[in-house]
Amino acid sequence: MQPPYESPGAEASDGPARVLVVDDDPTVAEVVTGYLHRAGYVVDRADDGPTALTRAAAHRPDLVVLDLMLPGMDGLEVCRRIRDRAPVPVIMLTARGDEDDRILGLEVGADDYVTKPFSPRELVLRVESVLRRSRPVATGPQLVGAGLSVDLGARRATKNGSELALTLREFDLLAFFLRHPGRAYSREDLMREVWGWDFGDLSTVTVHVRRLRGKVEDDPARPRLIQTVWGVGYRFEAREAVR
C-alpha cells in the first residue's frame, strides 16, 4: 500500500506549492503558467502525457492542471497513472462541453474540472481551493461510524481497519457525512459544504458519491451507508454496521 500523500497546500513549510501544468496548446500553457507564477506557485510544464508522467515522477507536484485532449496519451490515461502513484489533486481542463467527458474525468479521479474557454483567474481560485482543502491540519479529531474511521489530522480514512485510497474530494465528502449522520442533504448543499462552491455542475457531486460508495459500501449497487433520499439528495446512516 502506498504511503498517504499529504499536500502542503498553497504555502508549505519548505516553500510554495508545486503545480504541474499539462497542455499541448502553448498559448494556454503560457497564460496558465503566468497566472500561477504570479499567485506564488512553482510551476512545471509538459505538453504531452509521457512528459507529464516523467515530470511528475522527478518532482512530485502538489496539484496537476491537466488537459483532457493530449497527443499520444490522453488526459484520462495520464490522470489514471498519476493517481496510481499517489493521490495528487488533479484539475482537468477540457474544451468539450459534453457532460459525459466531464464525468469521465471525475470517474478516473480528477478533483475538479474547468471547461475551455475559461478565466485564468477562476482557474487560480480553483487551484487555491483544492490545495487549501488538501492541506493536513496539525491536529484533528477522529470521526468514527459504521466501521469507518477518518483521521482529519493525517487525512487518512479506514474501513474496518483497512486504509481507503480516497481522492481529496472523496475524503472531504466522507468526513462531512460522518460529521452529520442521519440528515438528508441535497446535491446543492453538498456542493456548498464540501466543495465550497455556491454554484456548479451538480453531476460533480453525483459522481463523487458514486465513487465513494464503491469504496465504503459492501455492495455499491445496494448502498446501506450512503442512501439516496428521492427528491432530496443523500443521507449517511452511521448506525448501519459495515460487514
Side-chain angles (χ1 to χ4, degrees):
M1 179 177 295
Q2 295 172 332
Y5 174 71
E6 296 182 356
S7 168
E11 286 293 334
S13 59
D14 58 349
R18 181 181 295 271
V19 179
L20 173 60
V21 176
V22 188
D23 199 307
D24 64 326
D25 185 327
T27 301
V28 173
E30 288 174 9
V31 170
V32 171
T33 297
Y35 270 79
L36 290 171
H37 271 310
R38 287 192 288 275
Y41 297 101
V42 173
V43 184
D44 292 329
R45 280 177 53 179
D47 57 10
D48 58 45
T51 303
L53 296 175
T54 299
R55 297 277 169 82
H59 299 285
R60 187 170 67 181
D62 299 300
L63 182 142
V64 180
V65 176
L66 177 62
D67 188 24
L68 177 63
M69 298 298 293
L70 293 171
M73 181 188 300
D74 67 20
L76 295 176
E77 182 61 24
V78 175
C79 186
R80 287 190 190 97
R81 296 193 185 190
I82 288 176
R83 297 284 308 154
D84 283 344
R85 294 177 178 176
V88 179
V90 174
I91 296 178
M92 193 78 76
L93 300 181
T94 174
R96 301 175 179 176
D98 188 76
E99 183 179 7
D100 290 342
D101 295 311
R102 300 196 298 269
I103 289 176
L104 277 174
L106 297 172
E107 289 283 11
V108 298
D111 297 280
D112 195 2
Y113 69 87
V114 175
T115 302
K116 296 179 181 180
F118 58 85
S119 162
R121 291 181 180 179
E122 178 190 354
L123 178 60
V124 171
L125 290 175
R126 294 287 185 98
V127 169
E128 291 173 350
S129 173
V130 171
L131 284 174
R132 184 170 57 251
R133 288 180 172 271
S134 71
R135 185 188 303 123
V137 296
T139 59
Q142 279 208 338
L143 305 173
V144 179
L148 299 166
S149 177
V150 169
D151 185 330
L152 297 177
R155 290 194 68 85
R156 182 177 300 175
T158 61
K159 173 184 175 182
N160 296 332
S162 297
E163 189 162 349
L164 296 170
L166 302 180
T167 67
L168 167 68
R169 298 297 187 186
E170 290 166 2
F171 181 93
D172 290 342
L173 186 59
L174 178 59
F176 182 82
F177 279 139
L178 281 168
R179 281 195 185 103
H180 306 282
R183 178 177 172 183
Y185 287 92
S186 67
R187 292 188 300 169
E188 291 88 350
D189 292 333
L190 293 172
M191 178 158 283
R192 182 174 58 253
E193 297 294 336
V194 177
W195 276 257
W197 307 339
D198 288 325
F199 60 90
D201 185 350
L202 296 180
S203 65
T204 299
V205 178
T206 305
V207 171
H208 278 81
V209 168
R210 181 164 64 246
R211 285 178 54 86
L212 184 58
R213 279 173 168 166
K215 297 178 181 182
V216 304
E217 299 279 1
D218 290 333
D219 182 1
R222 301 176 63 187
R224 303 170 69 180
L225 299 176
I226 306 174
Q227 298 187 1
T228 298
V229 181
W230 297 109
V232 179
Y234 304 100
R235 180 180 63 243
F236 183 75
E237 290 293 347
R239 293 170 295 179
E240 184 65 61
V242 178
R243 290 182 280 175

